[in-house]
Amino acid sequence: CVVRWKSSLTNPQAPKHNSGSTPTSVAPHPFRLLVVMLSAVLGFSSSQRVKDIPLVSFAADASKSLTHTWTALNDPVMGGKSHSTVSVSDGVLKFIGTCAIVPSLGAPGFITAQTGRGYGPGTLGNETFVDVSSCKGLTIVAKDYTKGSYKGYRVSFGNGHAPGGFHAYGFKANLDPTAGSFGAVSIPFTNFTDNWNGATGKATHSCEEKPEYCPDHSTLTNMKTISIWGEGVEGDVHLEVKSIAGYGCAAATVEAA
C-alpha cells in the first residue's frame, strides 16, 4: 500500500522570493514522515482502522445477512429432561428454560438456542454468515435474567471436530453475560476450542494449549452455525441477546488522497 500526500515537501503557502533572494527550504512535517515510515514497515495505509464487524442482529430492520432462523435444541434428543423455548421479538433473542439432570448420566444435560445446526451430530443446515476471519474474537451484547446465578452459559460456532469427540462439534467457549442490564462481553477466538467434553461441555484441551484446536480460517470465513448453550450446570436459564459481532477486525485499506 502506498500513502500519497497532496502536499510537497516544501511549504506551498510560503511567500515567493525575488530573484535576488535566497530561497528558504521547509522541512517535511514530522508526523507525515512518521506515517510514511510506519506504512512502509507495517504494510498498511494511514486510513486503515481496526473495527467491529456485525455478525448477528435481532433488530427488526437488520440486514438479511445478519438475520437467521433460531430454534431450541435440547438434551431430550439423548434422553434428557431439560427444556427451553427460543424466540425473537422486541429486537432480542429470548432463550428461556431449565437445564436438568439426565437420568441415564446422573449429571446436568444441555439446552441450546441454535441456528444452522441439523438434528444429528455434525449435521448442518443452510445458514451463511458474514466473514469475521480478520477479527480477534466475538462481542456478544446480552442480559442474564438469572442475576448471575446460572453459571453454565457457553457459545459455540462452526463444525470443528477433534478426534475422539463423538458428539462434540464446533468451537466452544464459556460465556459470562452481564446480569441485570444489557452489556457487551468480548471473547477472544483463542478462548474457543473444538476439543471439549461432550457430556459436560468443558474444554478438554484449549486453543492456547494446542493450536490445532483453535478456530480455523475457513470456519471464521463462514461459521455456518452458532449455538448459545445452558450446559453442564443444573438450573433455570434466562438469557436475552441483542447482537453478536466480530471485534478487532482489520478494516478494508483505503489509500489516502
Side-chain angles (χ1 to χ4, degrees):
C1 300
V2 177
V3 178
R4 294 176 180 167
W5 301 99
K6 288 185 175 181
S7 58
S8 66
L9 294 182
T10 57
N11 188 342
Q13 297 184 5
K16 294 182 180 180
H17 297 276
N18 295 328
S19 58
S21 62
T22 302
T24 303
S25 62
V26 178
H29 194 287
F31 176 75
R32 291 182 179 176
L33 281 179
L34 178 61
V35 169
V36 173
M37 292 170 64
L38 287 176
S39 299
V41 173
L42 300 178
F44 57 81
S45 80
S46 64
S47 59
Q48 187 174 22
R49 297 290 184 269
V50 175
K51 66 172 186 176
D52 292 347
I53 294 180
L55 180 64
V56 173
S57 175
F58 300 102
D61 59 351
S63 165
K64 186 176 180 180
S65 65
L66 305 181
T67 59
H68 304 273
T69 301
W70 292 80
T71 60
L73 182 62
N74 307 320
D75 63 23
V77 298
M78 51 181 278
K81 300 295 183 180
S82 302
H83 59 86
S84 72
T85 60
V86 173
S87 62
V88 176
S89 62
D90 304 319
V92 298
L93 172 76
K94 299 178 180 181
F95 178 36
I96 304 170
T98 299
C99 184
I101 298 295
V102 179
S104 62
L105 299 177
F110 69 87
I111 59 177
T112 65
Q114 63 83 30
T115 181
R117 178 63 69 190
Y119 287 96
T123 59
L124 295 171
N126 298 307
E127 299 289 338
T128 300
F129 288 83
V130 173
D131 183 350
V132 291
S133 60
S134 70
C135 305
K136 300 296 184 183
L138 297 181
T139 293
I140 300 173
V141 178
K143 177 181 178 180
D144 173 26
Y145 281 82
T146 74
K147 299 180 180 179
S149 65
Y150 189 74
K151 302 297 184 182
Y153 291 117
R154 311 188 205 281
V155 59
S156 69
F157 60 80
N159 211 36
H161 185 60
F166 181 53
H167 289 295
Y169 283 84
F171 298 94
K172 184 181 285 188
N174 293 335
L175 171 62
D176 186 19
T178 59
S181 62
F182 281 96
V185 176
S186 295
I187 309 173
F189 285 136
T190 52
N191 282 22
F192 288 84
T193 177
D194 65 355
N195 194 323
W196 46 273
N197 187 298
T200 66
K202 294 181 179 179
T204 304
H205 292 289
S206 70
C207 160
E208 293 177 323
E209 289 175 330
K210 296 189 176 183
E212 61 264 37
Y213 301 131
C214 296
D216 58 280
H217 182 271
S218 177
T219 295
L220 297 179
T221 299
N222 177 15
M223 292 181 173
K224 297 184 180 178
T225 178
I226 295 177
S227 296
I228 298 170
W229 300 67
E231 181 184 29
V233 176
E234 184 181 12
D236 293 331
V237 172
H238 186 172
L239 185 71
E240 294 189 0
V241 181
K242 279 188 176 181
S243 64
I244 305 174
Y247 75 84
C249 315
T253 301
V254 180
E255 190 176 72

Short mmCIF file of all heavy atoms in Angstrom, two decimals, residues 48-118:
data_model
loop_
_atom_site.label_atom_id
_atom_site.label_comp_id
_atom_site.label_asym_id
_atom_site.label_seq_id
_atom_site.Cartn_x
_atom_site.Cartn_y
_atom_site.Cartn_z
N GLN A 48 -6.13 2.81 7.32
CA GLN A 48 -6.57 1.51 7.81
C GLN A 48 -6.96 1.61 9.28
O GLN A 48 -6.31 2.28 10.06
CB GLN A 48 -5.47 0.47 7.64
CG GLN A 48 -5.93 -0.95 7.98
CD GLN A 48 -4.87 -1.97 7.66
OE1 GLN A 48 -3.70 -1.62 7.57
NE2 GLN A 48 -5.26 -3.21 7.49
N ARG A 49 -8.05 0.96 9.66
CA ARG A 49 -8.56 1.04 11.00
C ARG A 49 -8.91 -0.35 11.53
O ARG A 49 -9.14 -1.27 10.77
CB ARG A 49 -9.81 1.92 11.04
CG ARG A 49 -9.57 3.37 10.63
CD ARG A 49 -8.74 4.14 11.66
NE ARG A 49 -8.60 5.52 11.31
CZ ARG A 49 -7.60 6.02 10.60
NH1 ARG A 49 -6.66 5.23 10.14
NH2 ARG A 49 -7.54 7.31 10.35
N VAL A 50 -8.95 -0.48 12.83
CA VAL A 50 -9.49 -1.67 13.47
C VAL A 50 -10.94 -1.38 13.80
O VAL A 50 -11.27 -0.33 14.34
CB VAL A 50 -8.70 -2.02 14.75
CG1 VAL A 50 -9.34 -3.18 15.47
CG2 VAL A 50 -7.26 -2.35 14.39
N LYS A 51 -11.83 -2.32 13.49
CA LYS A 51 -13.26 -2.05 13.67
C LYS A 51 -13.99 -3.32 14.08
O LYS A 51 -13.43 -4.40 14.16
CB LYS A 51 -13.86 -1.52 12.37
CG LYS A 51 -13.86 -2.56 11.25
CD LYS A 51 -14.64 -2.09 10.04
CE LYS A 51 -14.76 -3.19 8.99
NZ LYS A 51 -15.59 -2.77 7.84
N ASP A 52 -15.29 -3.18 14.37
CA ASP A 52 -16.18 -4.31 14.61
C ASP A 52 -16.89 -4.67 13.32
O ASP A 52 -17.19 -3.79 12.50
CB ASP A 52 -17.21 -3.97 15.68
CG ASP A 52 -16.59 -3.78 17.06
OD1 ASP A 52 -15.42 -4.15 17.24
OD2 ASP A 52 -17.29 -3.24 17.94
N ILE A 53 -17.18 -5.95 13.15
CA ILE A 53 -17.96 -6.41 12.01
C ILE A 53 -19.22 -7.09 12.54
O ILE A 53 -19.13 -8.12 13.22
CB ILE A 53 -17.17 -7.40 11.13
CG1 ILE A 53 -15.98 -6.70 10.46
CG2 ILE A 53 -18.08 -8.02 10.06
CD1 ILE A 53 -15.14 -7.60 9.58
N PRO A 54 -20.41 -6.53 12.29
CA PRO A 54 -21.65 -7.17 12.74
C PRO A 54 -21.78 -8.58 12.17
O PRO A 54 -21.53 -8.81 10.98
CB PRO A 54 -22.74 -6.24 12.20
CG PRO A 54 -22.07 -4.91 12.04
CD PRO A 54 -20.67 -5.24 11.61
N LEU A 55 -22.15 -9.51 13.02
CA LEU A 55 -22.29 -10.91 12.61
C LEU A 55 -23.73 -11.39 12.73
O LEU A 55 -24.25 -12.05 11.82
CB LEU A 55 -21.38 -11.79 13.48
CG LEU A 55 -21.37 -13.29 13.22
CD1 LEU A 55 -20.83 -13.59 11.83
CD2 LEU A 55 -20.54 -14.02 14.28
N VAL A 56 -24.39 -11.06 13.83
CA VAL A 56 -25.79 -11.46 14.07
C VAL A 56 -26.52 -10.27 14.69
O VAL A 56 -26.00 -9.63 15.61
CB VAL A 56 -25.89 -12.67 15.01
CG1 VAL A 56 -27.34 -12.96 15.37
CG2 VAL A 56 -25.24 -13.90 14.38
N SER A 57 -27.71 -9.98 14.21
CA SER A 57 -28.55 -8.95 14.81
C SER A 57 -29.99 -9.46 14.89
O SER A 57 -30.45 -10.19 14.00
CB SER A 57 -28.51 -7.66 13.99
OG SER A 57 -29.42 -6.70 14.52
N PHE A 58 -30.68 -9.06 15.95
CA PHE A 58 -32.08 -9.44 16.12
C PHE A 58 -33.00 -8.24 15.96
O PHE A 58 -34.20 -8.34 16.24
CB PHE A 58 -32.26 -10.11 17.49
CG PHE A 58 -31.43 -11.34 17.65
CD1 PHE A 58 -30.24 -11.30 18.38
CD2 PHE A 58 -31.78 -12.53 17.04
CE1 PHE A 58 -29.45 -12.43 18.51
CE2 PHE A 58 -31.00 -13.67 17.16
CZ PHE A 58 -29.82 -13.62 17.90
N ALA A 59 -32.45 -7.12 15.50
CA ALA A 59 -33.24 -5.93 15.26
C ALA A 59 -34.19 -6.16 14.09
O ALA A 59 -33.87 -6.87 13.13
CB ALA A 59 -32.33 -4.74 14.97
N ALA A 60 -35.36 -5.55 14.16
CA ALA A 60 -36.38 -5.74 13.13
C ALA A 60 -35.91 -5.26 11.75
O ALA A 60 -36.31 -5.81 10.72
CB ALA A 60 -37.67 -5.03 13.52
N ASP A 61 -35.06 -4.23 11.75
CA ASP A 61 -34.60 -3.66 10.48
C ASP A 61 -33.19 -4.13 10.11
O ASP A 61 -32.52 -3.53 9.27
CB ASP A 61 -34.63 -2.14 10.55
CG ASP A 61 -33.75 -1.57 11.66
OD1 ASP A 61 -33.25 -2.37 12.50
OD2 ASP A 61 -33.56 -0.34 11.70
N ALA A 62 -32.73 -5.21 10.72
CA ALA A 62 -31.37 -5.70 10.44
C ALA A 62 -31.24 -6.21 9.02
O ALA A 62 -32.21 -6.69 8.41
CB ALA A 62 -31.01 -6.82 11.43
N SER A 63 -30.03 -6.11 8.49
CA SER A 63 -29.74 -6.63 7.17
C SER A 63 -30.01 -8.13 7.11
O SER A 63 -29.83 -8.85 8.11
CB SER A 63 -28.26 -6.36 6.82
OG SER A 63 -27.85 -7.13 5.72
N LYS A 64 -30.42 -8.61 5.97
CA LYS A 64 -30.73 -10.04 5.80
C LYS A 64 -29.52 -10.90 6.09
O LYS A 64 -29.64 -12.04 6.58
CB LYS A 64 -31.22 -10.29 4.37
CG LYS A 64 -31.71 -11.72 4.14
CD LYS A 64 -32.27 -11.89 2.74
CE LYS A 64 -32.76 -13.32 2.53
NZ LYS A 64 -33.31 -13.51 1.15
N SER A 65 -28.32 -10.38 5.82
CA SER A 65 -27.10 -11.16 6.05
C SER A 65 -26.83 -11.38 7.54
O SER A 65 -26.01 -12.23 7.91
CB SER A 65 -25.89 -10.46 5.42
OG SER A 65 -25.65 -9.21 6.04
N LEU A 66 -27.53 -10.62 8.41
CA LEU A 66 -27.30 -10.71 9.86
C LEU A 66 -28.43 -11.44 10.58
O LEU A 66 -28.35 -11.65 11.80
CB LEU A 66 -27.15 -9.31 10.46
CG LEU A 66 -26.08 -8.41 9.85
CD1 LEU A 66 -26.05 -7.07 10.57
CD2 LEU A 66 -24.71 -9.07 9.91
N THR A 67 -29.48 -11.81 9.87
CA THR A 67 -30.62 -12.48 10.48
C THR A 67 -30.65 -13.95 10.10
O THR A 67 -30.35 -14.32 8.97
CB THR A 67 -31.94 -11.80 10.07
OG1 THR A 67 -32.06 -11.85 8.64
CG2 THR A 67 -31.97 -10.36 10.53
N HIS A 68 -31.03 -14.78 11.06
CA HIS A 68 -31.03 -16.23 10.86
C HIS A 68 -32.22 -16.85 11.58
O HIS A 68 -32.86 -16.20 12.41
CB HIS A 68 -29.72 -16.82 11.39
CG HIS A 68 -28.50 -16.22 10.78
ND1 HIS A 68 -27.94 -16.67 9.60
CD2 HIS A 68 -27.74 -15.15 11.16
CE1 HIS A 68 -26.89 -15.94 9.29
NE2 HIS A 68 -26.75 -15.00 10.23
N THR A 69 -32.51 -18.08 11.26
CA THR A 69 -33.60 -18.80 11.91
C THR A 69 -33.06 -19.52 13.14
O THR A 69 -32.17 -20.36 13.04
CB THR A 69 -34.22 -19.82 10.94
OG1 THR A 69 -34.72 -19.15 9.78
CG2 THR A 69 -35.36 -20.57 11.62
N TRP A 70 -33.62 -19.17 14.31
CA TRP A 70 -33.15 -19.72 15.58
C TRP A 70 -34.20 -20.64 16.18
O TRP A 70 -35.39 -20.32 16.19
CB TRP A 70 -32.83 -18.58 16.56
CG TRP A 70 -31.64 -17.77 16.16
CD1 TRP A 70 -31.61 -16.78 15.22
CD2 TRP A 70 -30.31 -17.89 16.67
NE1 TRP A 70 -30.34 -16.27 15.11
CE2 TRP A 70 -29.52 -16.93 15.99
CE3 TRP A 70 -29.71 -18.69 17.64
CZ2 TRP A 70 -28.16 -16.76 16.24
CZ3 TRP A 70 -28.37 -18.53 17.90
CH2 TRP A 70 -27.60 -17.58 17.21
N THR A 71 -33.75 -21.78 16.68
CA THR A 71 -34.65 -22.75 17.30
C THR A 71 -33.99 -23.34 18.54
O THR A 71 -32.79 -23.19 18.76
CB THR A 71 -35.00 -23.89 16.33
OG1 THR A 71 -33.78 -24.56 15.94
CG2 THR A 71 -35.71 -23.38 15.09
N ALA A 72 -34.79 -24.04 19.33
CA ALA A 72 -34.28 -24.74 20.51
C ALA A 72 -33.86 -26.16 20.13
O ALA A 72 -34.51 -26.82 19.32
CB ALA A 72 -35.36 -24.79 21.59
N LEU A 73 -32.74 -26.60 20.70
CA LEU A 73 -32.30 -27.99 20.56
C LEU A 73 -31.77 -28.41 21.92
O LEU A 73 -30.78 -27.86 22.40
CB LEU A 73 -31.21 -28.12 19.49
CG LEU A 73 -30.70 -29.54 19.23
CD1 LEU A 73 -31.84 -30.43 18.70
CD2 LEU A 73 -29.56 -29.53 18.21
N ASN A 74 -32.46 -29.39 22.54
CA ASN A 74 -32.18 -29.72 23.94
C ASN A 74 -31.79 -31.18 24.12
O ASN A 74 -31.87 -31.98 23.18
CB ASN A 74 -33.42 -29.40 24.78
CG ASN A 74 -33.91 -27.97 24.59
OD1 ASN A 74 -33.10 -27.05 24.48
ND2 ASN A 74 -35.22 -27.80 24.52
N ASP A 75 -31.41 -31.54 25.35
CA ASP A 75 -30.91 -32.88 25.60
C ASP A 75 -31.93 -34.01 25.52
O ASP A 75 -31.54 -35.19 25.57
CB ASP A 75 -30.15 -32.94 26.94
CG ASP A 75 -31.03 -32.63 28.14
OD1 ASP A 75 -32.26 -32.78 28.06
OD2 ASP A 75 -30.46 -32.21 29.17
N PRO A 76 -33.26 -33.77 25.42
CA PRO A 76 -34.16 -34.91 25.18
C PRO A 76 -33.78 -35.74 23.95
O PRO A 76 -34.18 -36.90 23.85
CB PRO A 76 -35.53 -34.25 25.03
CG PRO A 76 -35.46 -33.09 25.96
CD PRO A 76 -34.04 -32.57 25.76
N VAL A 77 -33.01 -35.15 23.04
CA VAL A 77 -32.54 -35.94 21.90
C VAL A 77 -31.62 -37.07 22.37
O VAL A 77 -31.37 -38.02 21.63
CB VAL A 77 -31.80 -35.06 20.87
CG1 VAL A 77 -32.72 -34.00 20.30
CG2 VAL A 77 -30.55 -34.41 21.48
N MET A 78 -31.10 -36.97 23.61
CA MET A 78 -30.26 -38.04 24.16
C MET A 78 -30.83 -38.56 25.49
O MET A 78 -30.12 -39.09 26.33
CB MET A 78 -28.83 -37.53 24.38
CG MET A 78 -28.73 -36.24 25.17
SD MET A 78 -27.03 -35.64 25.41
CE MET A 78 -26.54 -36.62 26.80
N GLY A 79 -32.16 -38.42 25.65
CA GLY A 79 -32.81 -38.98 26.82
C GLY A 79 -32.86 -38.07 28.03
O GLY A 79 -33.22 -38.53 29.12
N GLY A 80 -32.55 -36.78 27.87
CA GLY A 80 -32.55 -35.86 28.99
C GLY A 80 -33.91 -35.28 29.30
O GLY A 80 -34.90 -35.54 28.59
N LYS A 81 -33.98 -34.47 30.33
CA LYS A 81 -35.23 -33.88 30.79
C LYS A 81 -35.23 -32.35 30.69
O LYS A 81 -36.17 -31.71 31.14
CB LYS A 81 -35.49 -34.28 32.25
CG LYS A 81 -35.60 -35.78 32.48
CD LYS A 81 -36.81 -36.38 31.79
CE LYS A 81 -36.94 -37.87 32.10
NZ LYS A 81 -38.13 -38.46 31.43
N SER A 82 -34.18 -31.78 30.14
CA SER A 82 -34.10 -30.32 30.03
C SER A 82 -35.10 -29.81 28.99
O SER A 82 -35.53 -30.55 28.10
CB SER A 82 -32.69 -29.90 29.64
OG SER A 82 -31.73 -30.37 30.58
N HIS A 83 -35.44 -28.54 29.11
CA HIS A 83 -36.38 -27.96 28.16
C HIS A 83 -36.10 -26.47 28.01
O HIS A 83 -35.58 -25.82 28.94
CB HIS A 83 -37.82 -28.18 28.61
CG HIS A 83 -38.13 -27.58 29.95
ND1 HIS A 83 -38.53 -26.25 30.11
CD2 HIS A 83 -38.09 -28.10 31.21
CE1 HIS A 83 -38.72 -26.01 31.39
NE2 HIS A 83 -38.46 -27.11 32.09
N SER A 84 -36.43 -25.92 26.86
CA SER A 84 -36.23 -24.48 26.63
C SER A 84 -37.13 -24.00 25.50
O SER A 84 -37.62 -24.80 24.69
CB SER A 84 -34.77 -24.17 26.30
OG SER A 84 -34.44 -24.64 24.99
N THR A 85 -37.33 -22.70 25.48
CA THR A 85 -38.01 -22.05 24.36
C THR A 85 -37.08 -20.98 23.81
O THR A 85 -36.33 -20.35 24.55
CB THR A 85 -39.33 -21.40 24.79
OG1 THR A 85 -39.08 -20.40 25.79
CG2 THR A 85 -40.29 -22.43 25.34
N VAL A 86 -37.14 -20.78 22.51
CA VAL A 86 -36.32 -19.79 21.82
C VAL A 86 -37.23 -18.96 20.92
O VAL A 86 -37.99 -19.52 20.11
CB VAL A 86 -35.21 -20.45 21.00
CG1 VAL A 86 -34.45 -19.41 20.17
CG2 VAL A 86 -34.24 -21.20 21.90
N SER A 87 -37.17 -17.65 21.06
CA SER A 87 -37.97 -16.78 20.22
C SER A 87 -37.22 -15.48 19.96
O SER A 87 -36.28 -15.14 20.68
CB SER A 87 -39.32 -16.48 20.88
OG SER A 87 -39.13 -15.81 22.11
N VAL A 88 -37.63 -14.77 18.93
CA VAL A 88 -37.06 -13.47 18.60
C VAL A 88 -38.19 -12.45 18.58
O VAL A 88 -39.14 -12.57 17.80
CB VAL A 88 -36.33 -13.49 17.26
CG1 VAL A 88 -35.82 -12.08 16.90
CG2 VAL A 88 -35.18 -14.48 17.27
N SER A 89 -38.11 -11.44 19.45
CA SER A 89 -39.10 -10.36 19.48
C SER A 89 -38.49 -9.17 20.21
O SER A 89 -37.54 -9.32 20.98
CB SER A 89 -40.39 -10.81 20.18
OG SER A 89 -40.14 -11.17 21.53
N ASP A 90 -39.03 -8.00 19.92
CA ASP A 90 -38.57 -6.76 20.57
C ASP A 90 -37.08 -6.53 20.37
O ASP A 90 -36.40 -5.96 21.23
CB ASP A 90 -38.88 -6.78 22.07
CG ASP A 90 -40.36 -7.01 22.37
OD1 ASP A 90 -41.19 -6.42 21.64
OD2 ASP A 90 -40.68 -7.78 23.29
N GLY A 91 -36.55 -7.01 19.25
CA GLY A 91 -35.15 -6.76 18.92
C GLY A 91 -34.15 -7.63 19.66
O GLY A 91 -32.95 -7.33 19.64
N VAL A 92 -34.61 -8.71 20.30
CA VAL A 92 -33.69 -9.59 21.02
C VAL A 92 -34.05 -11.06 20.80
O VAL A 92 -35.20 -11.40 20.51
CB VAL A 92 -33.69 -9.29 22.55
CG1 VAL A 92 -33.20 -7.88 22.83
CG2 VAL A 92 -35.05 -9.54 23.16
N LEU A 93 -33.06 -11.92 20.99
CA LEU A 93 -33.28 -13.35 21.08
C LEU A 93 -33.59 -13.68 22.53
O LEU A 93 -32.84 -13.29 23.44
CB LEU A 93 -32.02 -14.11 20.64
CG LEU A 93 -32.04 -15.62 20.87
CD1 LEU A 93 -32.89 -16.30 19.82
CD2 LEU A 93 -30.62 -16.20 20.85
N LYS A 94 -34.67 -14.42 22.77
CA LYS A 94 -35.07 -14.79 24.12
C LYS A 94 -34.89 -16.30 24.29
O LYS A 94 -35.53 -17.10 23.61
CB LYS A 94 -36.52 -14.37 24.37
CG LYS A 94 -36.72 -12.86 24.24
CD LYS A 94 -38.16 -12.44 24.45
CE LYS A 94 -38.31 -10.92 24.31
NZ LYS A 94 -39.70 -10.47 24.53
N PHE A 95 -34.00 -16.65 25.21
CA PHE A 95 -33.62 -18.04 25.46
C PHE A 95 -33.97 -18.35 26.91
O PHE A 95 -33.31 -17.87 27.83
CB PHE A 95 -32.11 -18.17 25.19
CG PHE A 95 -31.52 -19.54 25.44
CD1 PHE A 95 -32.22 -20.69 25.17
CD2 PHE A 95 -30.23 -19.64 25.94
CE1 PHE A 95 -31.65 -21.95 25.40
CE2 PHE A 95 -29.64 -20.88 26.15
CZ PHE A 95 -30.36 -22.03 25.89
N ILE A 96 -35.03 -19.15 27.11
CA ILE A 96 -35.57 -19.39 28.45
C ILE A 96 -35.80 -20.89 28.64
O ILE A 96 -36.37 -21.55 27.77
CB ILE A 96 -36.89 -18.64 28.67
CG1 ILE A 96 -36.70 -17.13 28.40
CG2 ILE A 96 -37.43 -18.87 30.07
CD1 ILE A 96 -38.01 -16.35 28.36
N GLY A 97 -35.34 -21.43 29.76
CA GLY A 97 -35.57 -22.84 30.00
C GLY A 97 -34.93 -23.33 31.27
O GLY A 97 -34.54 -22.54 32.15
N THR A 98 -34.79 -24.65 31.36
CA THR A 98 -34.19 -25.29 32.53
C THR A 98 -33.24 -26.39 32.08
O THR A 98 -33.61 -27.23 31.24
CB THR A 98 -35.27 -25.91 33.43
OG1 THR A 98 -36.14 -24.86 33.89
CG2 THR A 98 -34.64 -26.60 34.63
N CYS A 99 -32.04 -26.35 32.60
CA CYS A 99 -31.07 -27.41 32.37
C CYS A 99 -31.22 -28.41 33.52
O CYS A 99 -30.98 -28.06 34.68
CB CYS A 99 -29.66 -26.84 32.32
SG CYS A 99 -28.38 -28.06 31.92
N ALA A 100 -31.64 -29.62 33.19
CA ALA A 100 -31.97 -30.62 34.21
C ALA A 100 -31.01 -31.80 34.16
O ALA A 100 -30.21 -31.96 33.22
CB ALA A 100 -33.41 -31.11 34.00
N ILE A 101 -31.11 -32.64 35.20
CA ILE A 101 -30.28 -33.84 35.29
C ILE A 101 -30.74 -34.86 34.24
O ILE A 101 -31.94 -35.14 34.09
CB ILE A 101 -30.38 -34.46 36.69
CG1 ILE A 101 -29.86 -33.47 37.75
CG2 ILE A 101 -29.60 -35.77 36.76
CD1 ILE A 101 -28.39 -33.15 37.63
N VAL A 102 -29.79 -35.42 33.51
CA VAL A 102 -30.06 -36.51 32.58
C VAL A 102 -30.07 -37.81 33.39
O VAL A 102 -29.03 -38.18 33.96
CB VAL A 102 -28.99 -36.58 31.46
CG1 VAL A 102 -29.29 -37.75 30.53
CG2 VAL A 102 -28.93 -35.27 30.69
N PRO A 103 -31.21 -38.49 33.50
CA PRO A 103 -31.29 -39.67 34.37
C PRO A 103 -30.24 -40.74 34.10
O PRO A 103 -29.66 -41.30 35.03
CB PRO A 103 -32.70 -40.21 34.09
CG PRO A 103 -33.47 -39.00 33.66
CD PRO A 103 -32.50 -38.17 32.88
N SER A 104 -29.96 -40.99 32.83
CA SER A 104 -29.00 -42.05 32.50
C SER A 104 -27.57 -41.69 32.86
O SER A 104 -26.72 -42.56 33.02
CB SER A 104 -29.09 -42.39 31.01
OG SER A 104 -28.75 -41.25 30.22
N LEU A 105 -27.31 -40.38 32.99
CA LEU A 105 -25.95 -39.92 33.30
C LEU A 105 -25.80 -39.49 34.75
O LEU A 105 -24.68 -39.46 35.29
CB LEU A 105 -25.57 -38.74 32.39
CG LEU A 105 -25.54 -39.00 30.88
CD1 LEU A 105 -25.22 -37.72 30.13
CD2 LEU A 105 -24.53 -40.09 30.53
N GLY A 106 -26.93 -39.11 35.37
CA GLY A 106 -26.84 -38.57 36.72
C GLY A 106 -26.12 -37.24 36.77
O GLY A 106 -25.53 -36.87 37.79
N ALA A 107 -26.17 -36.50 35.67
CA ALA A 107 -25.46 -35.23 35.56
C ALA A 107 -26.30 -34.27 34.71
O ALA A 107 -27.17 -34.70 33.94
CB ALA A 107 -24.09 -35.43 34.92
N PRO A 108 -26.08 -32.96 34.86
CA PRO A 108 -26.85 -31.98 34.07
C PRO A 108 -26.62 -32.16 32.57
O PRO A 108 -25.52 -32.51 32.13
CB PRO A 108 -26.31 -30.63 34.55
CG PRO A 108 -25.70 -30.91 35.88
CD PRO A 108 -25.15 -32.29 35.79
N GLY A 109 -27.68 -31.93 31.81
CA GLY A 109 -27.59 -32.02 30.36
C GLY A 109 -27.35 -30.66 29.72
O GLY A 109 -26.49 -29.90 30.17
N PHE A 110 -28.15 -30.32 28.70
CA PHE A 110 -27.94 -29.05 28.00
C PHE A 110 -29.23 -28.58 27.35
O PHE A 110 -30.15 -29.36 27.06
CB PHE A 110 -26.85 -29.18 26.93
CG PHE A 110 -27.26 -30.06 25.76
CD1 PHE A 110 -27.95 -29.53 24.67
CD2 PHE A 110 -26.96 -31.41 25.74
CE1 PHE A 110 -28.33 -30.32 23.59
CE2 PHE A 110 -27.32 -32.22 24.68
CZ PHE A 110 -28.01 -31.68 23.60
N ILE A 111 -29.29 -27.28 27.11
CA ILE A 111 -30.28 -26.66 26.25
C ILE A 111 -29.54 -25.68 25.35
O ILE A 111 -28.49 -25.15 25.73
CB ILE A 111 -31.40 -25.94 27.04
CG1 ILE A 111 -30.82 -24.85 27.95
CG2 ILE A 111 -32.20 -26.94 27.87
CD1 ILE A 111 -31.89 -24.06 28.71
N THR A 112 -30.04 -25.48 24.15
CA THR A 112 -29.38 -24.53 23.25
C THR A 112 -30.39 -23.69 22.47
O THR A 112 -31.51 -24.13 22.19
CB THR A 112 -28.49 -25.24 22.20
OG1 THR A 112 -29.31 -26.03 21.31
CG2 THR A 112 -27.45 -26.12 22.86
N ALA A 113 -29.97 -22.49 22.15
CA ALA A 113 -30.61 -21.67 21.13
C ALA A 113 -29.64 -21.72 19.96
O ALA A 113 -28.50 -21.27 20.07
CB ALA A 113 -30.80 -20.24 21.62
N GLN A 114 -30.08 -22.31 18.84
CA GLN A 114 -29.13 -22.57 17.77
C GLN A 114 -29.68 -22.16 16.41
O GLN A 114 -30.89 -22.10 16.20
CB GLN A 114 -28.74 -24.05 17.76
CG GLN A 114 -29.88 -25.02 17.49
CD GLN A 114 -30.18 -25.21 16.01
OE1 GLN A 114 -29.27 -25.10 15.18
NE2 GLN A 114 -31.43 -25.48 15.68
N THR A 115 -28.75 -21.89 15.52
CA THR A 115 -29.08 -21.64 14.13
C THR A 115 -28.07 -22.35 13.25
O THR A 115 -26.88 -22.37 13.55
CB THR A 115 -29.11 -20.14 13.81
OG1 THR A 115 -29.47 -19.95 12.44
CG2 THR A 115 -27.78 -19.46 14.08
N GLY A 116 -28.55 -22.97 12.19
CA GLY A 116 -27.67 -23.63 11.24
C GLY A 116 -27.29 -25.04 11.59
O GLY A 116 -26.58 -25.71 10.83
N ARG A 117 -27.77 -25.55 12.71
CA ARG A 117 -27.43 -26.92 13.14
C ARG A 117 -28.54 -27.89 12.74
O ARG A 117 -29.71 -27.56 12.85
CB ARG A 117 -27.20 -26.94 14.65
CG ARG A 117 -26.88 -28.30 15.25
CD ARG A 117 -25.58 -28.87 14.72
NE ARG A 117 -24.40 -28.14 15.19
CZ ARG A 117 -23.19 -28.35 14.71
NH1 ARG A 117 -23.00 -29.21 13.72
NH2 ARG A 117 -22.15 -27.68 15.18
N GLY A 118 -28.16 -29.09 12.29
CA GLY A 118 -29.13 -30.12 11.98
C GLY A 118 -29.51 -30.89 13.23
O GLY A 118 -29.21 -30.47 14.36
#
